[in-house]
Amino acid sequence: EVFYHNNVIKEYQYLKTLSARQTRRVFQLAGRPGLSQEKFNHPGNMSTFMEVYKPGKKTLILVWGEPGVEVPELIKTPYSDIINIVK
């Protein structure tokens, strides 16, 4: 299941249920080789982030939105693909 989280009012809103195929694809994209070693922390006034949690490992948080900072394809492509799946 996919939820939208509004951090300001601490509320979750149900969006949709993913099929088994879609779920596998999301995990493949989030576990893409090299992504877990990526460090990217460039927040702006309006930021986008991707958080990847693996049990027993440090949570990977990638943040972008800073004007003039190009987001690497290694981050941009999986993020866009995941967003298209969960829409």
Side-chain angles (χ1 to χ4, degrees):
E1 294 180 331
V2 179
F3 291 85
Y4 167 77
H5 179 236
N6 184 325
N7 201 34
V8 175
I9 61 174
K10 308 292 186 217
E11 180 180 278
Y12 288 90
Q13 178 185 352
Y14 171 82
L15 296 178
K16 70 187 265 186
T17 299
L18 299 179
S19 68
R21 183 177 183 190
Q22 289 172 315
T23 302
R24 278 191 303 277
R25 183 67 182 140
V26 166
F27 280 101
Q28 286 172 346
L29 290 165
R32 189 173 178 182
L35 187 61
S36 63
Q37 283 77 39
E38 193 69 29
K39 293 189 180 1
F40 202 77
N41 186 23
H42 296 277
N45 287 340
M46 294 289 291
S47 296
T48 303
F49 76 96
M50 181 165 64
E51 190 171 318
V52 181
Y53 170 77
K54 290 183 181 181
K57 306 255 180 172
K58 185 176 179 186
T59 300
L60 171 68
I61 302 173
L62 305 166
V63 183
W64 61 97
E66 181 180 346
V69 176
E70 184 67 28
V71 180
E73 283 300 317
L74 183 63
I75 296 170
K76 193 176 352 183
T77 301
Y79 177 82
S80 296
D81 292 346
I82 290 169
I83 292 301
N84 285 330
I85 290 169
V86 300
K87 273 187 183 179

